[in-house]
Amino acid sequence: MRTNPTNRLSEIVINAQLEIGDALSQDTLEHLEDLNEDLVYVSQSIEQAQARFAKVLAENRQMKAFLLQTVKDCWCVEGNRCARCQNTLITLSHFEV
């Protein structure tokens, strides 16, 4: 049986296109898996940064409260603070207590 060279060429092109399409799909899938791994890593990094920031924020709040309490417990009075309390209040004013 004779084959038509045009049909044979068309079949070769179709097979090549299917192979290329399959290879591209596999590459795309691998790239998406890599991207997913990267996003998981970034997400974990952000969660760790948030946890560290929350801890620092809590410590800062505690330190500010302690410093304010030391000013309140000092022998000096509001409106006539000693130098140490004035410095403490000035420092705290920069942090918007």
Side-chain angles (χ1 to χ4, degrees), residues 3-13:
T3 59
N4 184 343
T6 305
N7 287 344
R8 177 75 182 131
L9 181 61
S10 176
E11 186 177 328
I12 291 171
V13 169

mmCIF file of all heavy atoms in Angstrom, residues 3-13:
data_model
loop_
_atom_site.group_PDB
_atom_site.id
_atom_site.type_symbol
_atom_site.label_atom_id
_atom_site.label_comp_id
_atom_site.label_asym_id
_atom_site.label_seq_id
_atom_site.Cartn_x
_atom_site.Cartn_y
_atom_site.Cartn_z
ATOM 1 N N THR A 3 1.741 5.168 0.652
ATOM 2 C CA THR A 3 1.342 6.242 1.554
ATOM 3 C C THR A 3 1.584 7.552 0.855
ATOM 4 O O THR A 3 2.514 7.701 0.064
ATOM 5 C CB THR A 3 2.159 6.213 2.859
ATOM 6 O OG1 THR A 3 3.533 6.334 2.535
ATOM 7 C CG2 THR A 3 1.901 4.942 3.629
ATOM 8 N N ASN A 4 0.742 8.451 1.159
ATOM 9 C CA ASN A 4 0.862 9.792 0.601
ATOM 10 C C ASN A 4 1.896 10.541 1.430
ATOM 11 O O ASN A 4 1.757 10.657 2.643
ATOM 12 C CB ASN A 4 -0.509 10.478 0.655
ATOM 13 C CG ASN A 4 -0.506 11.845 0.014
ATOM 14 O OD1 ASN A 4 0.555 12.435 -0.205
ATOM 15 N ND2 ASN A 4 -1.693 12.337 -0.276
ATOM 16 N N PRO A 5 2.969 11.076 0.804
ATOM 17 C CA PRO A 5 4.007 11.789 1.556
ATOM 18 C C PRO A 5 3.448 12.985 2.328
ATOM 19 O O PRO A 5 3.917 13.304 3.409
ATOM 20 C CB PRO A 5 5.000 12.248 0.498
ATOM 21 C CG PRO A 5 4.695 11.458 -0.723
ATOM 22 C CD PRO A 5 3.294 10.971 -0.602
ATOM 23 N N THR A 6 2.427 13.613 1.812
ATOM 24 C CA THR A 6 1.824 14.757 2.484
ATOM 25 C C THR A 6 1.156 14.315 3.778
ATOM 26 O O THR A 6 1.279 14.976 4.817
ATOM 27 C CB THR A 6 0.800 15.451 1.565
ATOM 28 O OG1 THR A 6 1.429 15.797 0.353
ATOM 29 C CG2 THR A 6 0.220 16.691 2.207
ATOM 30 N N ASN A 7 0.452 13.173 3.721
ATOM 31 C CA ASN A 7 -0.188 12.644 4.927
ATOM 32 C C ASN A 7 0.851 12.234 5.968
ATOM 33 O O ASN A 7 0.668 12.446 7.158
ATOM 34 C CB ASN A 7 -1.076 11.447 4.588
ATOM 35 C CG ASN A 7 -2.351 11.866 3.881
ATOM 36 O OD1 ASN A 7 -2.712 13.037 3.908
ATOM 37 N ND2 ASN A 7 -3.004 10.913 3.248
ATOM 38 N N ARG A 8 1.941 11.629 5.472
ATOM 39 C CA ARG A 8 3.006 11.199 6.387
ATOM 40 C C ARG A 8 3.637 12.411 7.061
ATOM 41 O O ARG A 8 3.869 12.402 8.257
ATOM 42 C CB ARG A 8 4.061 10.399 5.595
ATOM 43 C CG ARG A 8 5.218 9.966 6.395
ATOM 44 C CD ARG A 8 4.826 8.777 7.294
ATOM 45 N NE ARG A 8 6.000 8.412 8.099
ATOM 46 C CZ ARG A 8 5.975 8.229 9.383
ATOM 47 N NH1 ARG A 8 4.851 8.347 10.052
ATOM 48 N NH2 ARG A 8 7.050 7.888 10.037
ATOM 49 N N LEU A 9 3.903 13.478 6.301
ATOM 50 C CA LEU A 9 4.486 14.697 6.855
ATOM 51 C C LEU A 9 3.530 15.332 7.851
ATOM 52 O O LEU A 9 3.946 15.765 8.927
ATOM 53 C CB LEU A 9 4.824 15.693 5.737
ATOM 54 C CG LEU A 9 5.459 16.997 6.164
ATOM 55 C CD1 LEU A 9 6.787 16.731 6.863
ATOM 56 C CD2 LEU A 9 5.679 17.908 4.971
ATOM 57 N N SER A 10 2.251 15.350 7.524
ATOM 58 C CA SER A 10 1.246 15.920 8.413
ATOM 59 C C SER A 10 1.198 15.144 9.732
ATOM 60 O O SER A 10 1.081 15.726 10.800
ATOM 61 C CB SER A 10 -0.116 15.894 7.733
ATOM 62 O OG SER A 10 -1.108 16.357 8.586
ATOM 63 N N GLU A 11 1.308 13.813 9.633
ATOM 64 C CA GLU A 11 1.289 12.981 10.825
ATOM 65 C C GLU A 11 2.530 13.249 11.680
ATOM 66 O O GLU A 11 2.438 13.334 12.915
ATOM 67 C CB GLU A 11 1.248 11.507 10.410
ATOM 68 C CG GLU A 11 1.070 10.568 11.572
ATOM 69 C CD GLU A 11 0.966 9.118 11.090
ATOM 70 O OE1 GLU A 11 0.453 8.880 9.990
ATOM 71 O OE2 GLU A 11 1.424 8.250 11.855
ATOM 72 N N ILE A 12 3.677 13.432 11.057
ATOM 73 C CA ILE A 12 4.918 13.732 11.778
ATOM 74 C C ILE A 12 4.785 15.073 12.496
ATOM 75 O O ILE A 12 5.160 15.213 13.666
ATOM 76 C CB ILE A 12 6.126 13.726 10.813
ATOM 77 C CG1 ILE A 12 6.392 12.303 10.332
ATOM 78 C CG2 ILE A 12 7.357 14.308 11.496
ATOM 79 C CD1 ILE A 12 7.423 12.216 9.220
ATOM 80 N N VAL A 13 4.232 16.066 11.825
ATOM 81 C CA VAL A 13 4.055 17.392 12.423
ATOM 82 C C VAL A 13 3.094 17.313 13.596
ATOM 83 O O VAL A 13 3.347 17.889 14.662
ATOM 84 C CB VAL A 13 3.569 18.407 11.359
ATOM 85 C CG1 VAL A 13 3.133 19.704 12.000
ATOM 86 C CG2 VAL A 13 4.636 18.639 10.307
#
